[in-house]
Amino acid sequence: MSDNESQNLSVKLFAKHKHATETSTLFGAVQQTQQSDYSAFDGDSESSWYRMRRRGQWTWQGVEPLEMEAIFARIAHSDNSRSVETLLDTVEGYRSGNWNYEWTAVGMQHQKAAQALMDEGKAKQAGEQWLQACTYFGIAAYPHLKEDSLALQSETLAFKAFESAIAQLPFTVKTVETRLDGKSLKGYLYLPRTDATLPVVILSGSLDSLQTDLWRLFVDYFAPADIAVLTLDMPSVGHSCHWHLNEDTSRLHTAMLDKLVDVPWVDHHRVGTMGIRFGANPAVRMAFLEPHRVKASASLGGIVHALLTDASLMKKMPPMYLDTLGSRLGRRIPIDTLKTRLQAWSLKNQGLLTGRRTEVPILALSLKDDPVCPESDNQMIARYSRGGKAMTLPNTPLHDGYHRALTETVKWFEDVL
């Protein structure tokens, strides 16, 4: 995509959205819950922000910390009107101070830099800039609520930037596409090499992220272990936006597992599943429903039972999380109704984490004092898996905790696959 084409696409996508509905008003949790119920899940949780600001994760993805703080400052100091005056990141319309506007603007700068490097024949550096652009566009769309017109436009830019990047990078990325319910389901297959059939791990992240956020896990951890990775968006997000989330959380994963038989670069007899946060729910579920085709599974801070059934934990969920869950169900529903619906997603309530054990070894891992994934959930996963293992790692410093968690996870797959 040329620089002019990129600019024209950006202008075309956002031209009609000067008065777009502001994100925090789409599903209404801000109006239904008390702001004092905020708790720190995966980022900075402050009563003056609607979104959880994931400084650690976004820095790890490649966002420059100074650039990030400058964006936060522009949002916080904007004089434009807000849908909720007490929440800094609720500036209305696509204009200065709006969350989407500020992150997209910096993404476009990286996009422009990528095109300039392409023109100079510097493919590797251009690929890195495309990935930067993809990351900023993805954060612009965060937390990826349905019916958020600005988010949908930013997701389009993110996927365009990612597909521009993969042609320039020193590793191979293939698009894997299959059909489910008559609709296209798409994932990205990362390959350390293509001269042999490799073991593969199907990987999904949380409900408020895109699969393109996960590329660094492959580069830093799986590629050195010579393991391929197939990323997949969760239902109602990104390339999986055609399907709402229901208690059958793994049906998209099953469709991709079926497709792997036809993919020449991977060994469909050596398949693992891995999930982060809610992505761990289908990953663990697959170990019970597909024990003859899945050889190993891993849950990182997984949401499998406690958060879905414990009223005291639900009460602490920030409005952004409640809105995200409502969005995945596909409609605006009262908080009390939502909390009732969540119980159907518990793997224990579904009869999986109780009774007979699966033959698939599962690693259940989290950081100490995790409010989303208590140690009891990890112990339960390990108990109902032959060869299963539960680990709780120190949460300080945070970066070291994440690094050790991912290192342990990849070693697990190396040993089992």
Side-chain angles (χ1 to χ4, degrees), residues 7-297:
Q7 295 299 326
N8 289 340
L9 174 61
S10 303
V11 171
K12 182 179 178 182
L13 286 174
F14 292 101
K16 298 178 181 179
H17 296 286
K18 293 291 184 184
H19 305 289
T21 303
E22 198 279 311
T23 304
S24 72
T25 65
L26 286 168
F27 286 86
V30 165
Q31 283 76 41
Q32 296 182 58
T33 58
Q34 297 294 319
Q35 294 301 302
S36 59
D37 283 341
Y38 270 81
S39 66
F41 274 32
D42 301 311
D44 297 334
S45 179
E46 302 169 29
S47 59
S48 56
W49 292 78
Y50 169 70
R51 293 167 181 81
M52 309 291 289
R53 292 184 294 164
R54 296 180 170 169
R55 286 181 168 91
Q57 177 185 327
W58 295 336
T59 300
W60 175 74
Q61 284 178 232
V63 174
E64 291 293 332
L66 290 177
E67 205 165 46
M68 177 165 31
E69 295 306 324
I71 292 172
F72 291 153
R74 288 196 294 274
I75 293 169
H77 295 131
S78 174
D79 291 327
N80 285 319
S81 61
R82 292 175 166 84
S83 60
V84 183
E85 278 304 318
T86 55
L87 298 176
L88 297 171
D89 55 326
T90 63
V91 170
E92 298 171 303
Y94 188 70
R95 53 182 175 170
S96 63
N98 173 268
W99 177 277
N100 188 287
Y101 177 94
E102 296 295 349
W103 283 97
T104 297
V106 181
M108 288 176 180
Q109 293 172 17
H110 287 287
Q111 181 176 270
K112 189 173 182 179
Q115 190 58 53
L117 288 164
M118 288 286 291
D119 294 341
E120 295 170 16
K122 299 177 180 177
K124 184 175 183 294
Q125 295 95 317
E128 291 168 354
Q129 285 295 317
W130 280 120
L131 285 177
Q132 284 277 74
C134 172
T135 298
Y136 281 82
F137 292 143
I139 298 171
Y142 167 79
H144 308 280
L145 301 186
K146 298 286 280 185
E147 302 174 22
D148 188 339
S149 57
L150 293 179
L152 291 173
Q153 309 308 325
S154 293
E155 287 178 13
T156 298
L157 291 175
F159 286 126
K160 291 277 188 184
F162 183 76
E163 288 171 5
S164 294
I166 59 180
Q168 317 301 329
L169 296 172
F171 51 87
T172 302
V173 182
K174 303 283 188 181
T175 298
V176 177
E177 200 161 347
T178 189
R179 305 288 294 180
L180 180 64
D181 303 329
K183 299 165 185 170
S184 171
L185 175 64
K186 188 156 89 172
Y188 294 112
L189 176 64
Y190 298 76
L191 298 162
R193 56 196 177 101
T194 56
D195 60 348
T197 54
L198 301 175
V200 60
V201 172
I202 302 175
L203 170 63
S204 288
S206 60
L207 290 174
D208 52 21
S209 65
L210 295 178
Q211 60 176 297
T212 48
D213 295 336
L214 302 171
W215 64 270
R216 192 174 287 275
L217 268 72
F218 168 77
V219 173
D220 291 352
Y221 298 96
F222 285 97
D226 212 28
I227 297 174
V229 169
L230 175 64
T231 59
L232 184 62
D233 285 312
M234 288 294 289
S236 190
V237 187
H239 287 317
S240 301
C241 64
H242 302 299
W243 297 272
H244 295 313
L245 187 67
N246 61 24
E247 58 271 18
D248 184 6
T249 57
S250 58
R251 70 192 189 283
L252 306 189
H253 289 66
T254 301
M256 273 299 178
L257 185 62
D258 294 340
K259 180 65 178 178
L260 285 179
V261 176
D262 304 321
V263 178
W265 306 281
V266 300
D267 183 350
H268 66 272
H269 297 295
R270 291 188 292 162
V271 179
T273 59
M274 172 182 168
I276 301 167
R277 287 308 195 214
F278 206 94
N281 190 293
V284 172
R285 200 169 188 268
M286 291 287 282
F288 287 87
L289 300 185
E290 298 286 352
H292 302 297
R293 297 199 291 168
V294 171
K295 299 304 179 189
S297 184

